[in-house]
Amino acid sequence: MSDIKKKLEQLAKEVIDAILKPSLNEKEEKALNNLRGKIDIDTYKTKQLALVGGSGGLAGAVGGWWGIGLVAADLVWCGKVAGQSCLGIGYILEREPKPDDIELILAIWTGMATASNGVPSGKVGIVINETSESYKKAVFNTGDALITKALTKMGVKGAAKIGSKFTGLAFESAGAIIFKKLAIKGSSKLAGKLLSIVSAKSVSKLLTKLFAKLGTSWIPVFGGIVCAGVNLWLVNGLLEASEKYYKHDYVILNDLEIFE
C-alpha cells in the first residue's frame, strides 16, 4: 500500500506542477487573450468543465492497468487545462493575468488564503489590484518601526528583519500589513516558502480524491464516472478560486507560515 501511496503522491505533485506551470505556447496565450469581451464567465466555465469531464470519463472507463495509466495521463493534462483556465478567467474579467497568479489562486483553493476587498486589522494581505479605489484610498504608514511593530503583534517571527527588508513594498494601515505582490515575488525566501506551502497543501487536498479514484479504476464505466467527477471537482474548484482572486483587490493570508 505504501508503494501505491508513493505513486499517488508523485502523480498529485505532477498534477499540481502542471497547474502551476501550464506551459503556455504562443497559440494558447493568444487564445486566452482573445477571450476578452468574447465570452462570459459562466459560459466559459461550462465549456471548460465539459472538456475535462468528457476526457476523465473516457480515461476511467477503460479499467485495469491500462485504465490507471490513462487516468494518470488524463489528470496531468487536466492540470494543464485547469492552470490555463484560471488565467482565462483573468482575461475575461479584463485583468492582466500572469502565470504566478496561480500560486495565490491555489492558496485560495486550499483555504490558506482568502480573497477580499480590504485587509482587516491584525491581518496580512497581498495587494493584487493596485488600481483599485480601496488601495488608492488606503492610509499607509511606512517605516521599519511601524511595520515591525505590527508584525510583532501578529506573532510573526523575525519581524524586525521583515520590517527593514520590505520598506517601500510593505505598509502598515490601521493595524494591518499590506505587502505589494512584488515584495513577495521579489524575495527568494518568501517566494520559495509560499510556493512550497501552497504546493504541499494542494497535493494533500488532491490526494484525498486520488484515493477515491484508485478504488474504482478497475471497474469500467463506474471508474469513468468517478474520474470525470474528480476532474470536474478539481477544475470547478480552481475556476471558483480564480474568479474570487480576479474579482477582489487583496489576498488575505489566513496563516503566516511563509514568514516562519
Side-chain angles (χ1 to χ4, degrees), residues 65-87:
W65 285 110
W66 281 106
I68 291 175
L70 287 173
V71 164
D74 177 67
L75 259 176
V76 175
W77 172 81
C78 183
K80 178 177 178 177
V81 172
Q84 291 185 358
S85 299
C86 285
L87 298 177

Side-chain angles (χ1 to χ4, degrees), residues 18 64 68 109 112 170 173 211 213:
I68 291 175
W109 182 64
M112 177 185 167
S173 179
F211 278 117
K213 270 195 171 187

Side-chain angles (χ1 to χ4, degrees), residues 163-217:
S164 61
K165 188 170 184 179
F166 295 106
T167 297
L169 293 174
F171 310 93
E172 187 272 338
S173 179
I177 295 294
I178 298 175
F179 279 87
K180 287 190 174 184
K181 192 179 172 188
L182 179 65
I184 302 294
K185 304 309 296 182
S187 166
S188 57
K189 183 178 180 181
L190 287 186
K193 198 72 181 286
L194 175 64
L195 178 59
S196 175
I197 294 170
V198 166
S199 294
K201 288 181 181 292
S202 298
V203 167
S204 178
K205 183 170 179 174
L206 180 56
L207 265 176
T208 303
K209 291 294 180 180
L210 290 187
F211 278 117
K213 270 195 171 187
L214 181 69
T216 57
S217 61

Side-chain angles (χ1 to χ4, degrees), residues 121-124 144-160 162 172 174-177 256:
S121 179
K123 293 288 185 179
V124 173
D144 301 359
L146 287 167
I147 297 169
T148 299
K149 184 178 179 182
L151 289 172
T152 302
K153 273 189 174 182
M154 295 174 195
V156 174
K157 297 177 182 178
I162 296 171
E172 187 272 338
I177 295 294
L256 303 177

Side-chain angles (χ1 to χ4, degrees), residues 44-61:
Y44 182 69
K45 283 183 180 179
T46 300
K47 180 182 174 183
Q48 298 309 98
L49 291 174
L51 179 65
V52 298
S55 71
L58 289 172

Side-chain angles (χ1 to χ4, degrees), residues 8-37:
L8 285 179
E9 286 176 346
Q10 181 58 39
L11 175 57
K13 287 177 183 176
E14 289 178 15
V15 174
I16 298 304
D17 282 346
I19 293 169
L20 283 163
K21 301 169 186 175
S23 304
L24 284 169
N25 58 40
E26 189 177 340
K27 183 179 178 181
E28 290 168 332
E29 192 168 354
K30 186 177 180 181
L32 287 177
N33 194 45
N34 285 340
L35 292 171
R36 296 176 188 271

Side-chain angles (χ1 to χ4, degrees), residues 76-116:
V76 175
W77 172 81
C78 183
K80 178 177 178 177
V81 172
Q84 291 185 358
S85 299
C86 285
L87 298 177
I89 295 289
Y91 281 109
I92 292 169
L93 289 173
E94 302 289 339
R95 299 289 285 269
E96 297 299 329
K98 302 285 187 242
D100 62 13
D101 292 344
I102 298 174
E103 286 179 34
L104 293 175
I105 290 169
L106 279 171
I108 293 170
W109 182 64
T110 60
M112 177 185 167
T114 305
S116 175

